[in-house]
Amino acid sequence: MDTSLPPADELVLVDRELARLDARRSQLLARRAWLIQALYRPVSAAAPRPYPRPPVADSTPRSAQNVLLTLGGTLLTIAAVAFTLVSWGSMGIGARSAVLFVVTSATLAAPVALLRRGLVSTAESVAALGLVLMVLDAYALHRVALPGTDGLGYTAVAAGVLAGAWAAYGSALSRLRIPLPVAVVAAQLPLPLGALAAGGGPTAVAWAALVTASADAAAALWTRPAAVRITAGAAATALGGWALLTGGWLSLVSPWSGAALLLAGAAVTLFVAWRVPAFAAAASAVAGLAALAAVGGLLRSALPADWAVPGYVLCALALASVWRLDASAGEGAGAAPGTGATATATSGGAAGTAAPEDVPGSGRPHGAEPGSAARAGGRLPHGVRLGLAGAGAGVAALGAVWALPPVVAGLLGPVGRTTGVWSGEHSERVLTSYPATAALVLLVAVAVLAAVPRLWARCGAVSLAWALLTALPVSLDLSYPATLSLQLLTTSAALVAAVRPGLLTRGLRPAEAAGHAAPAAPAAGPTGSESANATRGPAAPVAGPETPWAPWAPSPLRPAPAGVDARAAIGWSAYVGGLASAVSALGLALDVRGATFAALGVLLGLFTGAAVLGADARRVVSAVAAVLAATGLVIAVAAAGGFEDHWTALALLLVPAATAAVGSRAPRPVALAVEITGGSVGLLALGIAASRPAFLALALALGGVIAAATAVRPERRRFASWTAAVLFLLATWVRLAVSDVTTPEAYTLPVTVPALVVGFLRRRGDAEASSWTAYGPGLAATLLPSLVAVWTDPEWTRPLALGLAALAVTLLGARFRLQALLVLGGAALALVGLHELAPYVVQAVGALPRWLPPALAGLLLLGVGATYEQRLRDARRLRERLARMR
């Protein structure tokens, strides 16, 4: 082993070698167990089966003995209680004294003989009975000999005497486990009950409880039996907690009395935290809260009511700064980050080595680490610093939460309108009586978080800065113009920070500012490889953080979490606030017409700039917001000009036209979002124009023009072309309906002609395309409605025209072997012919004898049956010919 290394680095190497030896030993033990199983398995399998084993007992002798002893002790205790309460009065004074002395003395002396014989469990039961008898003796003594004494005072004295007696008895018979813990329980009563008996109030009782808890803490720290430590620790927690709660209540009603009690309790708790590192963080956090309640209560009594919470917050920040001040002291003493005592203690803990002070009988308290101060790299242990800083940060966070109601009022107040739009009236202010010092709390929180070089702190500072600007109009009761100007200014600042967050990342660690994990340089050591191994080995040193209010931050030797982009995180923190302020400012601007135009213009410019200069999803959202702002401007102009609804609808079509033009130049995600938003505005315009069908037709036609212009772009051609066709067709139908045109062909031919042209073009490009796909929809759009009209039309013009058109379609289908044309045209021609012949057939059938139609039908069936096979072959050939057509 190289002894020339510094102690910290040498300890790291030793711990690493020990860890390797432990791992190798575990492997060898596992291999040995497998070899034993492999060697002795055949022997056990070949051995003859033994005789049947006797049934296993349901309980062990030890458990049965414990049950019997417990039941026996319980029965004797019940008998003693019954004797004391029932039969005591029938005996004289001498008899009573004799019974008390004989029974109690015999019971307490019996465990001595039992322990000599090794009957420990029996001795425990008898000793427990003796302790109960002592309580009953004290009760009997009060009832007979001292009936006039005060009950609380006598109980306090009796509890103290019993605690001392039981402690002496348990110390003398150290093999008994019951007397000492019971003595600890009895010792909790003398001081609190004595304070009550002396007429003390809550303060005196709390002080008595605190003194008792301090004694319990000392017992938990410096006594050896585990049962005594556990009992004393639980009692100290209960009484100390009650004393601190009483002190907190007193700090509200009597600050000076509460402060003394809280500070004393904080000192005791902090001492326990210093001595027991396992509970250092929790205990020191309680101590920190107690100290804050004490000092903050004194400040609250001296300051005006509005300054109470700021006083607590300032105290909390001062307490939280203990983290940074102590770390700085440790660094100033010569401890480099990640090296020295910090790495020593941490690496030792990682390797699982046992400190000498943890060995029983070493003279040190259980769980105490005298070297914990060095482990923190400063004067305070790491856990103590962590708890104190956490208490301060928690109270400061509560103060920030207390300051948020003006933020909510400033943000949501303008949205919840109680006045009409452009009425010139403003909604009543809310939270006018809330302390204006809430803004000061937010300002202090922003300053503190901005000083912490951590990403989470910087995001919090940005969010709280936005909250501060939002709360100022409420806290300072600003006028309407000032409020609107400040909200627009807040929106501008937030959007600028969201687009250019680089300034806000200054001062962050390089790993966080770069947005990826980057481990710091390894600590100075013998070689670079050894240092690297030290950071990733089983005993790698973990240095404590170096910033206040951030004990959970990554250490210099531990890389920051990967995948966190500082710019994006800070940018989104500012952007969300900017969006919220924009909505609030717009809601407030609706009170006045000029303010509405000004706000919409400013928001349009801001969001347009954010869409041009921004990145990721913020750019898309900004583009959508800009479109919505432009829509609001159009509506505002129409409302200011007194436009009717249909003219407003036509004006709104300017928005989808503009988005179509912008979409042709914008990047793909932005273009898609902008065009979808513009299309939604177009649908709104159509809905507004629906009340005037003539203007609806015009709006549909203009929408078709916009869609047709968009279809020029290759990436939008398919969707935009179909949209344009649908809009044009709808415009034509609405226009025909407005002109009272009821002829179905006027509605179907505008569909049929373009559809047939498209089908023809498709067939030219793809000769294998089916005629049903190319021409079927177009032909059906006209033939089917016209056939329905033919059967209800008494005139001859439509049947003639439809018949000629169907004949032409049929002939074209036969000529070019197109199945759709042949089938649709032939079916339409047959139905038209049937429609024309139907009156004559009906007339002829009416003139013939009634027996003639059945006779003709029978002859037809006979003819078909006689030539069935030939007809079947003809039908099959016809089907095959049709199948060969396209």
Side-chain angles (χ1 to χ4, degrees):
M1 182 64 64
D2 187 2
T3 58
S4 62
L5 297 176
D9 296 332
E10 184 177 354
L11 181 58
V12 170
L13 296 177
V14 170
D15 289 337
R16 188 173 64 217
E17 293 298 329
L18 290 175
R20 291 177 179 174
L21 290 176
D22 290 341
R24 181 58 178 168
R25 185 174 183 274
S26 300
Q27 294 176 357
L28 294 175
L29 289 175
R31 181 63 179 176
R32 180 179 180 274
W34 182 86
L35 291 174
I36 291 175
Q37 185 180 8
L39 289 174
Y40 292 100
R41 183 182 302 167
V43 176
S44 60
R49 298 183 62 86
Y51 292 103
R53 295 181 180 179
V56 179
D58 292 335
S59 62
T60 61
R62 175 70 64 180
S63 62
Q65 178 189 16
N66 293 335
V67 171
L68 293 176
L69 292 175
T70 303
L71 289 177
T74 303
L75 292 177
L76 288 175
T77 302
I78 294 173
V81 172
F83 172 78
T84 303
L85 298 179
V86 179
S87 303
W88 182 265
S90 61
M91 300 178 66
I93 296 297
R96 297 173 187 177
S97 302
V99 170
L100 284 174
F101 179 76
V102 173
V103 175
T104 305
S105 300
T107 305
L108 294 177
V112 178
L114 293 174
L115 289 175
R116 290 176 180 175
R117 295 177 176 271
L119 302 176
V120 180
S121 299
T122 306
E124 291 280 2
S125 300
V126 176
L129 176 60
L131 299 181
V132 174
L133 288 175
M134 293 181 71
V135 176
L136 295 176
D137 291 345
Y139 169 76
L141 181 63
H142 178 263
R143 289 291 302 272
V144 176
L146 303 171
T149 58
D150 179 60
L152 288 177
Y154 179 81
T155 304
V157 174
V161 173
L162 290 175
W166 291 343
Y169 185 73
S171 299
L173 303 178
S174 58
R175 298 179 63 184
L176 296 178
R177 294 173 294 178
I178 293 178
L180 289 179
V182 174
V184 173
V185 174
Q188 310 307 310
L189 301 177
L191 291 181
L193 293 181
L196 287 175
T203 304
V205 176
W207 274 106
L210 182 59
V211 172
T212 305
S214 302
D216 293 333
L221 290 175
W222 285 296
T223 56
R224 295 182 59 184
V228 176
R229 292 199 306 269
I230 294 173
T231 306
T237 302
L239 284 181
W242 182 76
L244 291 178
L245 290 177
T246 304
W249 172 73
L250 288 174
S251 69
L252 300 177
V253 298
S254 180
W256 287 100
S257 300
L261 180 62
L262 288 171
L263 290 177
V268 174
T269 309
L270 191 60
F271 177 78
V272 173
W274 198 297
R275 298 293 300 181
V276 186
F279 301 99
S284 58
V286 174
L289 293 176
L292 288 177
V295 180
L298 294 177
L299 289 177
R300 183 181 54 80
S301 64
L303 296 175
D306 291 351
W307 290 87
V309 175
Y312 281 104
V313 171
L314 291 177
C315 295
L317 294 177
L319 180 62
S321 65
V322 171
W323 180 271
R324 181 57 184 169
L325 292 177
D326 196 81
S328 300
E331 293 172 5
T339 62
T342 303
T344 301
T346 308
S347 60
T353 58
E357 53 267 25
D358 292 335
V359 180
S362 62
R364 298 196 181 273
H366 176 74
E369 293 183 6
S372 58
R375 177 174 177 260
R379 291 189 297 268
L380 291 178
H382 175 79
V384 175
R385 295 169 57 206
L386 176 63
L388 293 177
V395 173
L398 290 177
V401 172
W402 170 83
L404 290 182
V407 180
V408 178
L411 182 65
L412 300 182
V415 178
R417 302 191 55 80
T418 58
T419 58
V421 176
W422 292 358
S423 63
E425 301 178 356
H426 311 300
S427 302
E428 295 184 359
R429 296 276 187 175
V430 294
L431 294 178
T432 54
S433 60
Y434 204 84
T437 52
L440 178 61
V441 172
L442 292 176
L443 178 61
V444 172
V446 171
V448 169
L449 289 177
V452 179
R454 290 290 185 272
L455 177 58
W456 64 267
R458 197 60 54 85
C459 293
V462 171
S463 300
L464 289 182
W466 167 84
L468 172 62
L469 294 176
T470 305
L472 281 179
V474 178
S475 299
L476 303 181
D477 196 15
L478 299 180
S479 61
Y480 176 81
T483 301
L484 181 59
S485 300
L486 184 57
Q487 286 190 342
L488 292 177
L489 179 62
T490 303
T491 304
S492 305
L495 292 180
V496 169
V499 173
R500 291 291 182 266
L503 294 176
L504 300 178
T505 60
R506 292 183 179 179
L508 294 179
R509 287 187 172 184
E512 293 188 350
H516 57 81
T527 59
S529 59
E530 290 179 358
S531 299
N533 292 332
T535 59
R536 62 173 180 266
V542 179
E546 302 176 0
T547 58
W549 319 291
W552 50 87
S555 66
L557 293 181
R558 188 185 306 155
V564 178
D565 188 354
R567 292 175 176 268
I570 296 176
W572 274 109
S573 300
Y575 191 75
V576 172
L579 289 179
S581 295
V583 175
S584 181
L586 182 58
L588 184 63
L590 292 177
D591 290 349
V592 180
R593 177 183 299 180
T596 302
F597 283 100
L600 286 173
V602 171
L603 294 178
L604 177 59
L606 289 176
F607 284 115
T608 302
V612 174
L613 302 176
D616 57 51
R618 286 167 286 173
R619 190 175 189 181
V620 177
V621 177
S622 299
V624 172
V627 174
L628 295 178
T631 304
L633 271 178
V634 173
I635 296 176
V637 170
F643 291 0
E644 297 183 7
D645 290 346
H646 52 279
W647 290 112
T648 302
L650 294 181
L652 282 175
L653 290 178
L654 295 174
V655 176
T659 56
V662 171
S664 62
R665 298 179 178 273
R668 183 178 182 86
V670 176
L672 181 61
V674 165
E675 290 173 353
I676 291 176
T677 308
S680 302
V681 176
L683 292 177
L684 174 63
L686 296 179
I688 295 175
S691 59
R692 297 287 295 272
F695 281 90
L696 176 60
L698 178 59
L700 288 169
L702 292 176
V705 172
I706 296 172
T710 306
V712 177
R713 295 157 51 191
E715 72 277 8
R716 299 285 187 265
R717 181 166 300 159
R718 178 182 296 273
F719 178 79
S721 60
W722 282 102
T723 303
V726 171
L727 290 175
F728 282 132
L729 181 61
L730 291 176
T732 304
W733 286 357
V734 172
R735 184 70 259 179
L736 291 173
V738 170
S739 302
D740 296 330
V741 175
T742 58
T743 303
E745 287 79 10
Y747 295 89
T748 58
L749 286 177
V751 179
T752 298
V753 174
L756 292 178
V757 172
V758 171
F760 176 75
L761 295 177
R762 179 174 181 181
R763 289 275 297 173
R764 287 186 60 183
D766 183 10
E768 299 297 325
S770 173
S771 61
W772 287 101
T773 303
Y775 303 117
L779 292 175
T782 293
L783 293 179
L784 296 180
S786 297
L787 281 174
V788 175
V790 162
W791 283 88
T792 59
D793 189 1
E795 302 295 331
W796 59 272
T797 307
R798 177 176 283 110
L800 178 60
L802 181 60
L804 292 177
L807 178 61
V809 170
T810 304
L811 294 176
L812 289 175
R815 170 66 181 80
F816 295 102
R817 300 174 59 81
L818 298 176
Q819 187 181 102
L821 275 66
L822 184 61
V823 173
L824 290 176
L829 183 61
L831 291 175
V832 171
L834 180 61
H835 172 267
E836 295 301 314
L837 292 177
Y840 302 101
V841 172
V842 172
Q843 183 179 359
V845 171
L848 294 175
R850 295 189 176 182
W851 55 266
L852 187 58
L856 294 176
L859 291 175
L860 178 62
L861 291 176
L862 289 175
V864 171
T867 59
Y868 175 75
E869 294 183 358
Q870 182 61 36
R871 302 286 79 77
L872 188 62
R873 286 194 295 268
D874 294 342
R876 188 179 295 112
R877 283 196 295 269
L878 177 61
R879 186 186 64 184
E880 292 174 355
R881 290 173 183 171
L882 287 175
R884 287 195 294 269
M885 296 181 179
R886 283 290 180 184

